[in-house]
Amino acid sequence: MLIRPALPADAADIWSIIGPTIRAGETYALDRDMSREDAIAYWLSPDGETFVAEEDGVVLGTYYLRPNQPGGGRHVANCGYMTNTAEMGRGVARRMCQHSLDHAEARGYRAMQFNFVVSTNARAVRLWAALGFDVVGRLPDAFDHPQHGYVDALVMFRSLGADG
Amino acid sequence: MLIRPALPADAADIWSIIGPTIRAGETYALDRDMSREDAIAYWLSPDGETFVAEEDGVVLGTYYLRPNQPGGGRHVANCGYMTNTAEMGRGVARRMCQHSLDHAEARGYRAMQFNFVVSTNARAVRLWAALGFDVVGRLPDAFDHPQHGYVDALVMFRSLGADG
């Protein structure tokens, strides 16, 4: 599995991954009917970096890395990861997250924060915990899940570097 | 004190309030050298509503109200409040927050969240607590304060309506 910076030519592959996840509306707080154009612009936002994970020329997943806040919050990174649904369970998200932690540290970030991990997304919560993230906040009923209704969202955080 | 929707003609008054706060960089995670144009565009963002508090035609403070997250997070409001430094201690922020809670409830929001309350901003932390907000998260060293260095930021949250 190779993780490399996303290129403009990856837009169709990226949409094939993020489109179904956005439309399902179960794991990200994004408008489910967001246009393809807006979704790609969001994912490839110029205030950060976007990567794809590929194997034998097939894009398995994609993630972005950007400052979680501007100004005095700029030393904390934020990432979003999405995996091709057909490739789930193969460790793609884990590999992307490990890559992002290394890359964020190399970029000088001191920590990484996930602002809105949907609590019913047990696979993600477990994985982030295994990769050193602590639940530092719980937002009661903050996510309207298409199947489960109002469920909590979690704020997860980890330091980077020697103390990480 | 009258609280009313901000108009395009309020831009200069709004900048006279938000400009010094942004430049000081002590309470908001915004780029301190943000241009006036970008700051006003941020504060008057079309995805929300912006209000001013005025008295005898003088703008004392301003706040915005917008969805904290799109999609499945759209039922939780987010606000930012700034008071003219010359008018601090007069209850302007309290009045604006009370107004925003009423207005958010009228708009159908179910809760309000502040994502990034700088922990050294004791006046704000006390006020939000007095107005029913709980600290639901603590982000360690997430804010680089110009005087104090890395300090925690707090996530504060309250429900609206009957259970609020």
Side-chain angles (χ1 to χ4, degrees):
Chain A
M1 196 184 305
L2 169 73
I3 298 180
R4 61 162 176 83
L7 304 170
D10 295 314
D13 285 333
I14 289 173
W15 173 246
S16 76
I17 292 170
I18 70 176
T21 304
I22 292 170
R23 295 283 179 262
E26 297 179 351
T27 52
Y28 274 76
L30 294 171
D31 283 325
R32 294 176 68 180
D33 57 357
M34 197 176 193
S35 71
R36 172 186 158 131
E37 184 186 2
D38 286 349
I40 290 174
Y42 167 78
W43 202 257
L44 293 166
S45 167
D47 65 346
E49 297 173 81
T50 306
F51 294 85
V52 294
E54 69 176 5
E55 194 174 64
D56 302 329
V58 176
V59 174
L60 309 178
T62 177
Y63 83 87
Y64 68 75
L65 170 71
R66 56 181 77 147
N68 194 46
Q69 299 281 351
R74 189 172 282 284
H75 59 288
V76 178
N78 172 248
C79 288
Y81 314 85
M82 291 193 193
T83 302
N84 188 325
T85 47
E87 306 291 345
M88 282 188 172
R90 287 189 45 198
V92 179
R94 175 184 289 266
R95 287 287 298 278
M96 291 195 294
C97 186
Q98 286 169 329
H99 185 274
S100 71
L101 291 166
D102 291 342
H103 194 74
E105 191 176 342
R107 283 281 188 243
Y109 287 106
R110 296 171 55 94
M112 189 178 291
Q113 180 176 332
F114 303 147
N115 300 301
F116 206 86
V117 181
V118 176
S119 59
T120 49
N121 189 2
R123 181 200 294 267
V125 175
R126 260 200 318 272
L127 178 56
W128 308 149
L131 290 171
F133 286 81
D134 294 320
V135 175
V136 297
R138 177 175 283 266
L139 312 172
D141 289 347
F143 186 70
D144 188 6
H145 190 287
Q147 275 78 52
H148 306 300
Y150 295 110
V151 299
D152 293 354
L154 308 178
V155 183
M156 300 188 76
F157 192 98
R158 66 159 280 178
S159 301
L160 298 174
D163 58 340
Chain B
M1 196 184 304
L2 169 73
I3 297 179
R4 60 161 177 81
L7 303 170
D10 295 315
D13 284 333
I14 289 173
W15 173 247
S16 76
I17 293 170
I18 69 175
T21 304
I22 292 170
R23 295 283 179 262
E26 296 179 351
T27 53
Y28 274 76
L30 294 171
D31 284 324
R32 293 177 69 181
D33 58 356
M34 200 176 191
S35 71
R36 173 186 158 132
E37 184 185 3
D38 286 349
I40 290 173
Y42 167 79
W43 203 257
L44 294 166
S45 167
D47 65 346
E49 297 173 83
T50 306
F51 294 85
V52 294
E54 68 176 6
E55 194 174 64
D56 302 329
V58 176
V59 174
L60 310 177
T62 178
Y63 84 87
Y64 68 75
L65 170 71
R66 56 182 77 146
N68 195 47
Q69 298 281 351
R74 189 172 282 286
H75 60 288
V76 178
N78 172 246
C79 289
Y81 314 84
M82 290 192 194
T83 302
N84 187 326
T85 47
E87 305 290 345
M88 283 187 170
R90 288 189 46 198
V92 179
R94 174 184 289 268
R95 286 288 296 280
M96 292 195 293
C97 186
Q98 285 169 331
H99 186 274
S100 71
L101 290 166
D102 291 342
H103 193 76
E105 192 176 341
R107 284 280 187 244
Y109 287 105
R110 296 171 55 95
M112 188 177 292
Q113 179 175 332
F114 303 148
N115 301 300
F116 206 87
V117 182
V118 176
S119 59
T120 49
N121 189 0
R123 181 199 295 266
V125 175
R126 261 198 318 270
L127 178 57
W128 308 149
L131 291 170
F133 286 82
D134 294 320
V135 175
V136 298
R138 176 175 282 267
L139 312 172
D141 290 345
F143 186 69
D144 187 6
H145 190 287
Q147 274 77 55
H148 305 302
Y150 294 111
V151 299
D152 293 354
L154 307 177
V155 184
M156 300 188 75
F157 192 99
R158 68 159 279 178
S159 300
L160 299 173
D163 57 343

